Amino acid sequence: MTLKHNVLLAGAAALAVALAALSPPGLAAESAGPKIADYKLANGLALVVIPDHRAPVVTHMIWYKVGAADETAGKSGLAHFLEHLMFKGTAKHPAGQFSTVVARIGGQENAFTSSDYTGYYQRVPSEQLRTVMEFEADRMTGLVLTDAVVLPERDVILEERNQRMENNPRARLGEQMDAALFLNHPYGKPIIGWRHEMEQLSRDDAIAFYKRFYGPNDAVVVIAGDIEPDAALKLAQDTYGKIKRVDGIASRQRPQEPPQVSPRSLTLADPRVEQPAVQRSYLVPSFATAKANKLSGQSEALEVLGHILGTGSNSRMYRVLVVDKHVAVSAGAYYDSSALDMAKFGFYASPGTGVTLPQLEAEADAVIAQVIDKGVTDEELERAKSRMIADAIYAQDNQASMARWYGQALMTGASVDDVRQWPDRIRAVTAQQVQDVARQWLDKKRSVTGYLIKDTTPRVEQPASVQPVKVEKRS
């Protein structure tokens, strides 16, 4: 099981990994690519089929329109907890049987949770597609949970928090920055949850959440691979189509952000930090919020801005801070358009020898100020757009990536047509639009800046003469 985590970056390589996990909804096919088909079943389930006959395998994904931002207040971590519990079996298929079958037929499986969605997927031989669809259809509404399986799994997610967050200074910094950036919106809480709330999650919490959000009319199935759309539709009708529509699925009403009027900053000190870093996150429109608020082209301009500022060794941040001025050993920027509500634009950098974090922050600010004041060059603009569209074309070679991008788009307010038209919208971005979004949205009042430093405070050792108190366990 995996989490879609916040972008916690240390260098260009880390940025590439983060963008692979947080790919914007538009990175998909041009018109010359596969002929995408989409359907809606009578019970409300949406189906997207992406034919790819180069190998006799398919990637099957089911996405539910619920994530960490939809949790009841005080129950953080519940969406991810339920993701784990979905593998605990049904009355028809006991725990472990689904995974055993997938392994026996040579397939792969996993699941993931984000703030906006939860997904489950399998990659199997084409002739086994019906098998995994039958299993997924069964556990959509047939999950059986008891304290005997729920409580041990709660310990598992607590240990996962230890590994992912408590033992990772960069992840802890990102968690604190999100909590400071989102003043009112639930994006400010960690996807995995706050420990003190995770410790209280119960079987009743999980069942109530499951019944509240899981059903065919709250799901999207994406199938990519060696299957024709008509055949995939028939399989979907024979499996998912037999499930009754679930009445009363809660609408996604989330608290929204008030106007942001003050920059925020924080410092996280940890003795395990080997390389200090400065990071900043700005609150900006996602593709969905830009579209809803008629901010035509702003999300696409932010994507191009993020590429020009911070993707690769030709980016402004890297070239100025690392190559020209030697004040950083790594630097970059990112924009994640795939959020149902507001999104983040950010930059990161790690200082060179003898450079302080305030000095490095000032140098990064100067790079941003230059873009705001002078804009970007025609060469930068065309290079960025060409590379982004080329990456989109190359992405067609990976059926799992195609399935993930379409599913993520549909989960975060985009449509199949929005994905198809993404290259044309990127081509239409102008240098003036890039400068305008930089001026409008890269305002420090809309931001949080985080410093990650090594904690060098000497540890206070307990005097040898003081003995710890022994607590007897009483029945």
Side-chain angles (χ1 to χ4, degrees), residues 104-156:
R104 187 172 66 238
I105 62 180
Q108 300 169 323
E109 65 166 353
N110 213 324
F112 48 87
T113 304
S114 86
S115 293
D116 293 315
Y117 50 79
T118 308
Y120 306 84
Y121 69 90
Q122 303 83 33
R123 191 166 190 260
V124 296
S126 309
E127 67 270 15
Q128 297 293 338
L129 178 57
R130 176 185 287 272
T131 300
V132 295
M133 293 175 77
E134 288 174 342
F135 271 105
E136 283 289 13
D138 176 49
R139 72 176 175 181
M140 178 181 283
T141 57
L143 188 63
V144 175
L145 297 178
T146 65
D147 282 343
V149 298
V150 170
L151 299 183
E153 200 63 33
R154 187 175 65 190
D155 292 336
V156 171

Side-chain angles (χ1 to χ4, degrees), residues 252-293:
R252 308 175 86 178
Q253 299 294 328
R254 297 157 167 184
Q256 297 301 303
E257 284 296 293
Q260 303 222 343
V261 298
S262 174
R264 282 134 285 161
S265 61
L266 57 90
T267 299
L268 178 71
D270 191 294
R272 295 166 293 187
V273 172
E274 297 299 329
Q275 178 63 61
V278 57
Q279 294 179 202
R280 182 178 299 153
S281 297
Y282 297 89
L283 190 67
V284 301
S286 64
F287 174 78
T289 53
K291 185 176 181 181
N293 293 307

Side-chain angles (χ1 to χ4, degrees), residues 9-16 170 329-332 348 350:
L9 303 167
L15 179 62
R170 290 190 178 277
V329 295
S330 63
Y348 67 92
S350 290

